[in-house]
Amino acid sequence: MRKIRLVNIVGTRPNFIKIAPFRQELKRRKNFEEILIHTGQHYSLNMSDYFIEELEIGEINYWLGVGPGTQMKQIGKIMVGLEKLLPKLDPDIVVVVGDVNSTMASALVVARLGLRLAHIEAGLRSFVKTMPEEQNRVIVDHFSDLLFTHSAEADQNLIREGIPPDRIFNVGNIMIDTLILTRSKWQASRILEKLGVQPKSYAVCTLHRSENVDNPETFAELLRILDAVQRIIPVVFPIHPRSKMRIDTLGLKKLVERSSNLILIEPLGYFDFMKLTENSAFVLTDSGGIQEETSFLSLPCLTLRDETERPVTVNLGTNIVVGRDKKRVLAEVNKILNGKAKKGSIPPLWDGKTSKRIADIIEEKVGC
């Protein structure tokens, strides 16, 4: 019996975090021939190479190198590159992760070529159709043959959309696999000493979503919220390139400069960021993955959005969706600092074994 030829496609920082444990699992098995394609959607050193090296992702077999450009240009370049490459590779199945543009562009090409597609992190829904990530999720899920979800809520989202239940598999959260597998390494990080901060004496902030940083009024509102929070506790802000650019182009630099306890730093590698996060008092974010990581770590998370596609982090975890309401944010911050933070539990199957479950299912369903 020949090996299953499986192609993994990645393009961004969150993709690397999710694909790392799955690729390691495939390497332990003798019946997979795995090929990794990197689209190059994240192309800067600290947004890409650091994660590849730290997470021991290994050799990138093919690099599309799409580089900078508008979303449409990146999507187009990815599709053209994959249209040429995938027929040559002739995979038994293509695996994509998450909800970024690389994921969606890959799914479209795979579908047009008549190949089988698996989606890791399927079924997430914010129910905001204007959100690019939501558009990507829906498209990818409806083209997928195997849909790997992280919660029962995600299963139900897919079933409501008419996707057959026999294509849906609740396997747990693959990001937690990475967190558990690398725990000893990221706990050894010296980032706190480098920044001169003590455990639980600071908060962490991340902002990158277009609805938060592309609109000058919205971004200014969020920076005013951060200004109010940093008056209570220092806020470390590893700033995404998109957010940094917007501060300059939208004329918000003075608003940032007046916040003396808002500590802007360059984006961090995975190990430094996880160490910084685990030792913070709480996190302010618009990131989906961080909502999950903080729930696993039992760390308070305040989500600066009006909704979340990860309600399990609210229903079971430590996440609170606060929107851009300064009064509510400050009220929750004060609760946290006064020892009254929301308590949570770890969702089912978030146990570090998701990659094994996915590989088992692919072996069963795609075995040659």
Side-chain angles (χ1 to χ4, degrees):
M1 187 169 72
R2 71 176 179 85
K3 293 183 178 181
I4 299 169
R5 181 172 292 176
L6 182 150
V7 169
N8 283 315
I9 302 178
V10 296
T12 67
R13 169 191 177 276
N15 291 170
F16 306 140
I17 296 170
K18 294 163 191 170
I19 212 65
F22 181 55
R23 198 173 198 210
Q24 290 178 26
E25 179 64 32
L26 294 178
K27 286 180 180 178
R28 285 191 284 268
R29 303 184 181 220
K30 296 180 180 180
N31 54 340
F32 280 98
E33 177 191 353
E34 187 264 353
I35 298 166
L36 182 62
I37 300 173
H38 182 359
T39 68
Q41 182 179 332
H42 276 178
Y43 48 87
S44 64
L45 181 63
N46 50 9
M47 292 299 288
S48 177
D49 291 6
Y50 288 163
F51 288 87
I52 293 170
E53 181 178 346
E54 279 190 333
L55 299 174
E56 298 179 0
I57 288 173
E59 181 185 2
I60 306 295
N61 301 109
Y62 296 93
W63 167 267
L64 299 185
V66 300
T70 66
Q71 291 190 52
M72 294 301 105
K73 285 182 179 179
Q74 284 191 329
I75 290 169
K77 287 181 179 180
I78 293 168
M79 294 181 70
V80 169
L82 290 176
E83 182 186 29
K84 295 177 182 177
L85 178 58
L86 286 177
K88 297 177 184 177
L89 300 179
D90 190 25
D92 296 301
I93 190 163
V94 176
V95 178
V96 294
V97 293
D99 53 20
V100 299
N101 289 334
S102 293
T103 309
M104 187 272 290
S106 301
L108 288 173
V109 175
V110 170
R112 285 298 178 99
L113 293 175
L115 301 172
R116 299 185 75 177
L117 179 69
H119 184 202
I120 299 175
E121 206 178 67
L124 301 185
R125 295 292 183 271
S126 67
F127 303 103
V128 179
K129 292 184 179 180
T130 56
M131 181 185 292
E133 296 88 350
E134 183 78 354
Q135 297 164 0
N136 293 344
R137 294 175 199 129
V138 174
I139 291 169
V140 176
D141 284 342
H142 282 267
F143 280 132
S144 294
D145 300 284
L146 301 176
L147 298 102
F148 298 115
T149 68
H150 80 328
S151 68
E153 294 157 321
D155 293 354
Q156 291 306 309
N157 288 338
L158 296 172
I159 291 169
R160 279 195 298 269
E161 292 177 10
I163 292 175
D166 63 359
R167 286 160 48 189
I168 302 168
F169 304 90
N170 184 354
V171 293
N173 192 327
I174 201 164
M175 289 191 75
I176 305 306
D177 285 21
T178 302
L179 188 153
I180 292 171
L181 283 170
T182 62
R183 188 192 291 268
S184 63
K185 293 181 179 180
W186 56 260
Q187 286 186 332
S189 163
R190 306 291 292 177
I191 188 63
L192 271 65
E193 291 85 350
K194 182 178 178 181
L195 295 177
V197 294
Q198 297 296 317
K200 305 304 176 184
S201 69
Y202 62 91
V204 169
C205 175
T206 74
L207 291 171
H208 75 282
R209 291 191 179 270
S210 59
E211 66 266 29
N212 275 340
V213 303
D214 287 350
N215 182 295
E217 294 179 1
T218 300
F219 198 14
E221 184 181 7
L222 285 167
L223 291 175
R224 282 191 285 269
I225 290 172
L226 293 181
D227 179 63
V229 174
Q230 62 90 39
R231 295 171 189 270
I232 302 170
I233 184 172
V235 178
V236 181
F237 187 179
I239 190 161
H240 190 283
R242 179 194 200 112
S243 305
K244 186 176 183 179
M245 179 183 68
R246 294 303 185 211
I247 286 174
D248 293 334
T249 59
L250 298 177
L252 301 174
K253 199 168 184 179
K254 289 184 179 179
L255 189 57
V256 172
E257 289 175 344
R258 79 181 189 192
S259 303
S260 58
N261 278 328
L262 180 61
I263 306 165
L264 269 61
I265 62 175
E266 292 296 314
L268 297 173
Y270 181 76
F271 295 165
D272 284 345
F273 184 77
M274 288 311 306
K275 178 65 177 280
L276 185 70
T277 298
E278 185 187 40
N279 286 278
S280 68
F282 59 91
V283 176
L284 299 145
T285 190
D286 61 5
S287 163
I290 293 172
Q291 296 171 44
E292 298 171 340
E293 291 161 340
T294 51
S295 285
F296 183 82
L297 295 170
S298 299
L299 181 71
C301 179
L302 304 180
T303 295
L304 300 168
R305 293 167 50 193
D306 295 325
E307 72 292 312
T308 177
E309 63 284 345
R310 293 163 167 86
V312 68
T313 63
V314 176
N315 299 332
L316 293 180
T318 55
N319 185 26
I320 299 175
V321 178
V322 292
R324 293 177 286 272
D325 183 335
K326 184 164 79 170
K327 287 184 178 179
R328 186 171 183 200
V329 171
L330 295 178
E332 295 298 338
V333 167
N334 285 317
K335 285 182 187 178
I336 293 166
L337 298 181
N338 288 313
K340 298 178 181 179
K342 177 187 177 184
K343 306 298 180 184
S345 60
I346 298 173
L349 301 179
W350 291 25
D351 56 5
K353 300 177 183 178
T354 294
S355 296
K356 181 180 184 302
R357 295 186 189 104
I358 294 171
D360 285 344
I361 292 166
I362 292 176
E363 277 190 5
E364 177 188 347
K365 301 293 183 181
V366 188
C368 300

